Amino acid sequence: QLQLVESGGGLVQAGGSLSLSCEASGSRIVNYGMAWFRQAPGNEREFVSSINWSGQSTYYADSVKGRFTISRDNAKNTMYLQMNSLKPEDTAVYYCAAKLWGFPASAADEDNVWGQGTQVTVSS
C-alpha cells in the first residue's frame, strides 16, 4: 500500500524559496497521478498543483502559477514542489496526494492517498 511522506517545509521570509519533497514507499508512483494541496488555518484544503504519471503534464492553481514548479522522479519514487517568490499568503500545511491511474484533482476524492503534511510559514 502506498505511503507518502513530505519534507522540506520551514520558515522563510517573503520573496524567498523552499523546496518540498514527497517520498513514496510501499508501491511505485509510476502508476499514480500526483498533486500538492495546502491548508491554511480556518480554510479548506485547496489544490496547488498536479502532475501526471510521466511528468509531461502539469497543472497549477492561478495563485501559484509562475512561482511554483512541480516535478517528479519515478526512479527515486519522489515528487517535488519548488516554491519561489513566496508570499505570506502561501503559509499553510502542504500535503502531497496520489491517485492510482488518475489525478488527485479534489481534496474530497476518497481515492486519494495523503501524506501527513509539512508546515510552510512565510513571514512578511
Side-chain angles (χ1 to χ4, degrees), residues 6-17:
E6 302 94 334
S7 62
L11 174 64
V12 64
Q13 288 188 333
S17 298

Side-chain angles (χ1 to χ4, degrees), residues 32-37 46-53 55-61 64 68-72 79-81 95 97-99 102-106:
Y32 291 80
M34 301 190 71
W36 289 96
F37 288 76
E46 65 175 7
F47 170 82
V48 174
S49 180
S50 63
I51 187 167
N52 77 327
W53 71 273
Q56 291 187 332
S57 295
T58 59
Y59 304 90
Y60 297 93
V64 306
F68 290 11
T69 302
I70 192 171
S71 62
R72 63 190 293 163
M79 177 181 65
Y80 307 96
L81 185 69
Y95 297 89
K99 183 175 180 179
F103 272 106
S106 168

Side-chain angles (χ1 to χ4, degrees), residues 14-34:
S17 298
L18 280 175
S19 180
L20 305 184
S21 297
C22 172
E23 185 171 359
S25 61
S27 185
R28 304 302 301 175
I29 64 170
V30 67
N31 297 324
Y32 291 80
M34 301 190 71

Side-chain angles (χ1 to χ4, degrees), residues 37-38 44-47 97 104-112 114:
F37 288 76
R38 66 187 182 186
E44 294 185 351
R45 193 170 297 188
E46 65 175 7
F47 170 82
S106 168
D109 191 334
E110 295 182 353
D111 292 330
N112 290 345
W114 294 96

